């Protein structure tokens, strides 16, 4: 894979979609036994470069399962691990969460607007300085009572910027719901839930109700922290049936309900932090990846993952074109970014 192509692909993320395996969107959730749940596509360039793409249905596989599988697969290939020593996931989840009927109401319409993708690198120094400012501020109305994580700060920066874009485009400050994935691994009181294969996440809906046009960053940080922590505290002591009931209620109220999930007056976004996954170290014997890309342009979402040097965080954003145009010129957002790292 020559340098010219990599340079183009870094700047034009649509090139990466050429290597995305087709077919996963056709998977029927009611027929998982008869249809593939994971697709792989390998492309070999004449110069010797290789691309490996995977696509998995979220009905059965979440990001942790997907990326853990790829990372461990790469180690098996590179080091020739014997089959009997491959043991990095458990398959015991069904022993706790057995088959059951769950009703999800979904009145939302699929997003058909064309989305564009861009990558930004968040400057670690700027983010750290902001964290110090928010935790040491003498003005109590602006100070935080906890030290926020990088993910919390960056997520808040992005969410606030997107709502500023919405305000500029629509002329009004809309309520918003942010879908925040939380892995339940290690958070429940059952041994079998430490590292299971499967889809074991909750898409926590974080609801923001605007109070005027002023958008304080610390309000978003506190909202993210308290909403997620409330869920973590609940599942740590909950029974299996209580966890299932909570998930069903969250989806039906915030994603399928008419107040939030099916309203044109609500801005919906999704985020996903991939910082703790070992994607950068997925070496099949060819070296570490030179280019990574996520998603298939289905909804307005942003992914966070570490740069190769791990000093900064890359943000890949899939947005409507007008929103992306605003973000690229939003000086408050750009103050926290730097030039893209390879």
């Amino acid at each position: 894979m020559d340098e010219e192509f990599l340079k183009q692909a870094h700047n034009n993320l649509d090139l990466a979609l050429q290597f995305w395996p087709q077919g996963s969107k056709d998977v029927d959730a009611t027929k998982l036994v008869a249809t593939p749940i994971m697709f792989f596509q390998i492309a070999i360039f004449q110069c010797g470069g290789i691309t490996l793409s995977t696509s998995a249905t979220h009905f059965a596989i979440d990001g942790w399962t997907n990326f853990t599988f790829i990372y461990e697969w790469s180690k098996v290939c590179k080091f020739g691990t014997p089959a009997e020593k491959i043991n990095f996931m458990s398959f015991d989840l069904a022993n706790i969460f057995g088959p059951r009927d769950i009703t999800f109401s979904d009145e939302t319409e699929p997003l058909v607007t064309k989305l564009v993708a861009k990558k930004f690198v968040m400057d670690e120094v700027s983010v750290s300085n902001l964290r110090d400012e928010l935790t040491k501020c003498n003005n109590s109305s602006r100070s935080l009572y906890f030290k926020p994580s990088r993910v919390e700060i960056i997520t808040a920066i992005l969410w606030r910027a997107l709502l500023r874009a919405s305000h500029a485009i629509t002329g009004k400050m809309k309520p918003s719901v942010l879908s925040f994935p939380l892995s339940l691994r290690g958070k429940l009181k059952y041994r079998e839930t430490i590292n299971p294969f499967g889809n074991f996440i909750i898409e926590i809906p974080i609801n923001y109700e605007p109070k005027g046009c002023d958008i304080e960053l610390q309000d978003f940080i506190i909202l993210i922290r308290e909403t997620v922590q409330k869920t973590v505290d609940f599942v740590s002591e909950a029974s299996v049936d209580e966890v299932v009931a909570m998930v069903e209620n969250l989806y039906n109220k915030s994603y399928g309900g008419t107040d939030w999930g099916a309203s044109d007056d609500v801005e919906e976004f999704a985020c996903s932090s991939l910082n703790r996954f070992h994607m950068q170290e997925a070496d099949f014997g060819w070296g570490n990846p030179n280019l990574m890309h996520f998603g298939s342009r289905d909804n307005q979402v942003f992914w966070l993952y570490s740069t190769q040097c791990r000093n900064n965080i890359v943000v890949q954003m899939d947005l409507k074109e007008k929103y992306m145009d605003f973000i690229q010129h939003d000086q408050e957002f750009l103050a926290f970014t730097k030039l893209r790292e390879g």
Side-chain angles (χ1 to χ4, degrees), residues 33 39 86 91 143 228 246 280 326:
V33 175
F39 295 78
I86 301 175
F91 295 85
S143 62
V228 173
M246 180 197 68
Q280 302 280 18
F326 182 93

Side-chain angles (χ1 to χ4, degrees), residues 94-273:
N95 294 339
I96 298 179
F97 293 91
R100 65 186 70 207
D101 292 328
I102 301 177
T103 302
F104 287 140
S105 61
D106 188 0
E107 301 178 17
T108 59
E109 295 293 330
L111 182 62
V112 295
T113 305
K114 180 182 178 181
L115 301 180
V116 294
K118 297 286 183 182
K119 285 185 180 180
F120 303 88
V121 176
M122 306 300 291
D123 182 16
E124 173 64 22
V125 174
S126 298
V127 173
S128 295
N129 289 340
L130 174 63
R131 175 161 49 194
D132 292 340
E133 176 186 343
L134 292 175
T135 54
K136 298 178 181 178
C137 185
N138 292 327
N139 184 348
S140 59
S141 65
R142 284 184 50 82
S143 62
L144 295 173
Y145 63 89
F146 59 90
K147 184 177 182 180
S149 67
R150 289 194 307 172
V151 169
E152 289 172 330
I153 293 177
I154 294 174
T155 300
I157 291 172
L158 295 169
W159 194 8
R160 184 177 69 158
L162 289 170
L163 288 184
R164 282 201 304 268
S166 171
H167 188 198
I169 293 168
T170 66
K172 55 183 177 180
M173 185 61 66
K174 294 183 177 182
S176 179
V177 56
L178 177 71
S179 176
F180 193 97
L182 174 71
S183 175
L184 294 179
R185 293 170 178 82
K187 297 180 175 64
L188 274 67
K189 57 185 178 182
Y190 304 100
R191 178 187 59 80
E192 295 89 342
T193 63
I194 296 177
N195 62 341
F197 178 96
N199 185 350
F200 199 41
I201 63 171
I202 295 178
E203 298 275 356
I204 300 177
I206 305 178
N207 299 331
Y208 173 75
E209 188 71 50
K211 300 175 182 178
C213 294
D214 294 332
I215 307 178
E216 295 290 346
L217 186 64
Q218 58 269 32
D219 292 340
F220 287 93
I221 296 174
I222 293 172
L223 181 60
I224 293 168
R225 167 63 68 93
E226 292 183 348
T227 305
V228 173
Q229 191 60 51
K230 181 180 179 181
T231 304
V232 172
D233 292 342
F234 176 81
V235 299
S236 65
E237 298 295 334
S239 67
V240 169
D241 289 338
E242 289 172 335
V243 172
V244 173
M246 180 197 68
V247 173
E248 184 177 8
N249 181 60
L250 286 178
Y251 275 75
N252 289 336
K253 182 177 179 180
S254 289
Y255 298 128
T258 56
D259 291 337
W260 292 92
S263 173
D264 292 334
D265 292 325
V266 175
E267 289 286 7
E268 294 185 55
F269 304 103
C271 68
S272 185
S273 173

